């Protein structure tokens, strides 16, 4: 335990990142001080929001620093500890991914039980991803039984859970968009009532899938998807704006939506949200999701890339939509 590899931000991308945006750096394994632990990361998460942090702009989370290691959600085993309340061998969830070994204050780590589920699940269905889907659909969009729900990027980590949770909570009809015929078939297998490939035309496909309109839209994409949803939404429809991946690498302003005036007459609610604002529903989320996992009514997909050296490729693949479900790196 002497060598530690980590991924640094080598340059700030203009438009799409490339492999040259990142740099693999070898360092020494850190030594913990009082109250600290060292974690051997097992899995790390790559997420769309990380693209925004590569820009040097003010946002809800600070930008990544140039020539420094990136960070993000990770899970691993404690291999050294100078903290009284976390022993060596404990599995912990924390925020210092993009490296093989992480040094952090014990207070910044959350011990988890690795016997309940595969440890990777704490980075997806049992973690921030699952809570995002649960809170966004039920708290932000306030979905009611019998309503029609449309989910964009529905084969992704969040979207695939949103659609299933909507069905489990009594939605009348659930529709998803995805980026390939194989992903469309996966959505149907997960219980979506209708699904379409957005390359076939979002507005036309959504109109055919939701002839009676949409009550709730869970937005992961923005752009033409948001425009199509606004046109399809019923009176007093609600949209939970989780992400806008179609715009993260854009160098020019988005051409859509061009129909925001419809928000007035339809009395629509478009509400952006961050998952950390909804920790008050975590207990209900854990209760419901753990129960659904136990009885097999909720499924989740993972796309796993091996090796810290391949973390940049995993991130770029995520932006291209190469993943089914949650994109993870097995460190």
């Amino acid at each position: 335990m002497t060598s530690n590899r980590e991924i640094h931000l080598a340059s700030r991308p203009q438009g799409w990142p490339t492999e040259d945006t990142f740099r693999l750096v070898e360092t020494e394994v850190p030594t913990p001080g009082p109250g600290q632990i060292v974690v051997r990361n097992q899995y790390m998460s790559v997420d769309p929001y990380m693209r925004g942090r590569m820009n040097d702009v003010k946002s809800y989370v600070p930008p990544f620093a140039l020539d420094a290691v990136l960070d993000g959600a990770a899970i691993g085993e404690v291999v050294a500890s100078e903290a009284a309340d976390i022993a060596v061998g404990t599995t912990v969830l924390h925020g210092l991914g993009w490296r093989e070994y992480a040094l952090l204050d014990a207070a910044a780590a959350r011990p988890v039980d690795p016997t309940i589920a595969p440890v990777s699940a704490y980075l997806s269905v049992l973690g921030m991803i699952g809570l995002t889907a649960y809170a966004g659909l039920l708290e932000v969009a306030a979905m009611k039984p019998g309503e029609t729900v449309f989910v964009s990027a529905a084969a992704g980590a969040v979207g695939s859970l949103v659609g299933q949770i909507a069905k489990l909570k009594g939605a009348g009809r659930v529709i998803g968009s995805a980026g390939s015929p194989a992903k469309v078939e996966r959505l149907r297998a997960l219980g979506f009532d209708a699904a379409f490939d957005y390359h076939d035309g979002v507005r036309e496909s959504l109109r055919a899938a939701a002839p009676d309109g949409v009550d709730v839209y869970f937005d992961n994409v923005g752009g033409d998807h948001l425009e199509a949803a606004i046109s399809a939404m019923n009176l007093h429809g609600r949209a939970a704006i989780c992400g806008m991946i179609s715009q993260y690498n854009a160098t020019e302003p988005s051409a859509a939506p061009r129909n925001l005036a419809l928000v007035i007459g339809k009395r629509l609610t478009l509400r952006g949200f961050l998952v950390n604002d909804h920790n008050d529903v975590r207990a209900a989320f854990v209760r419901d999701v753990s129960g659904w996992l136990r009885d097999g009514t909720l499924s989740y997909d993972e796309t796993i890339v091996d090796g810290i050296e391949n973390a940049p490729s995993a991130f770029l693949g995520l932006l291209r939509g190469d993943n089914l479900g949650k994109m993870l790196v097995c460190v």
Side-chain angles (χ1 to χ4, degrees):
M1 197 176 76
T2 59
S3 179
N4 179 34
R5 294 183 299 166
E6 53 191 35
I7 304 295
H8 289 208
L9 183 66
S11 62
R12 297 199 185 281
Q14 300 297 316
W16 282 82
T18 68
E19 292 282 352
D20 292 337
T21 302
F22 308 90
R23 181 183 300 117
L24 180 65
V25 176
E26 189 167 312
T27 65
E28 293 184 354
V29 174
T31 300
Q36 293 184 318
I37 58 175
V38 174
V39 180
R40 171 64 170 95
N41 285 333
Q42 296 168 302
Y43 291 92
M44 56 162 275
S45 175
V46 292
D47 300 284
Y49 81 88
M50 294 174 175
R51 174 61 187 87
R53 294 189 66 192
M54 294 176 185
N55 300 329
D56 190 11
V57 296
K58 185 177 181 180
S59 184
Y60 62 89
V61 62
F64 293 127
L66 273 176
D67 299 314
V69 62
L70 291 85
D71 60 68
I75 193 166
E77 181 181 349
V78 176
V79 294
S81 176
E82 292 295 331
D85 53 346
I86 298 186
V88 169
T90 304
T91 300
V92 297
L93 189 66
H94 62 91
L96 294 182
W98 294 89
R99 67 203 82 190
E100 291 177 318
Y101 291 90
L103 171 68
L104 63 150
D105 292 337
R110 179 163 67 90
V112 298
D113 186 350
T115 67
I116 292 177
V119 294
S120 60
Y122 287 100
L123 294 174
S124 58
V125 65
L126 290 176
M128 179 186 72
I129 296 300
L131 182 59
T132 299
Y134 187 94
L137 177 69
L138 302 178
E139 294 291 308
V140 178
M143 188 210 83
K144 296 185 272 300
E147 292 189 317
T148 296
V149 177
F150 171 44
V151 187
S152 58
V158 173
S160 59
L161 295 177
V162 171
Q164 293 181 83
I165 293 170
K167 294 296 290 185
L168 288 164
K169 289 292 187 177
R173 184 168 177 80
V174 177
I175 301 154
S177 72
S180 71
K183 289 183 177 181
V184 168
E185 286 305 309
R186 179 56 181 161
L187 295 182
R188 292 180 176 137
L190 290 175
F192 282 67
D193 297 291
F196 61 85
D197 186 334
Y198 65 79
H199 295 102
D200 296 332
V202 181
R203 185 186 291 264
E204 299 79 7
S205 298
L206 181 57
R207 186 182 298 119
D212 296 322
V214 170
D215 301 299
V216 168
Y217 172 47
F218 196 103
D219 189 16
N220 293 303
V221 174
D224 58 350
H225 278 74
L226 180 55
E227 181 175 276
I230 289 171
S231 292
M233 287 175 82
N234 295 323
L235 289 179
H236 303 291
R238 290 91 62 207
I241 312 297
C242 178
M244 293 194 176
I245 196 169
S246 68
Q247 300 175 29
Y248 291 164
N249 298 303
T251 56
E252 299 293 334
S254 173
R258 296 159 293 190
N259 58 350
L260 283 175
L262 293 177
V263 171
I264 303 167
K266 292 187 175 187
R267 286 81 105 191
L268 305 181
T269 298
L270 312 183
R271 182 179 170 191
F273 74 101
L274 298 177
V275 65
N276 289 337
D277 295 336
H278 298 279
N279 284 318
D280 58 314
V281 301
R282 184 176 291 277
F285 156 71
V286 171
R287 181 198 65 226
D288 284 350
V289 170
S290 59
W292 293 330
L293 289 174
R294 279 196 301 270
D295 64 23
T297 55
L298 183 69
S299 300
Y300 65 98
D301 293 314
E302 295 176 338
T303 300
I304 297 177
V305 174
D306 287 322
I308 187 68
E309 69 278 8
N310 294 317
S313 296
F315 177 71
L316 298 177
L318 172 74
L319 296 181
R320 291 191 301 266
D322 294 348
N323 57 301
L324 184 64
K326 184 75 187 82
M327 179 73 90
L328 297 170
V329 177
C330 180
V331 178

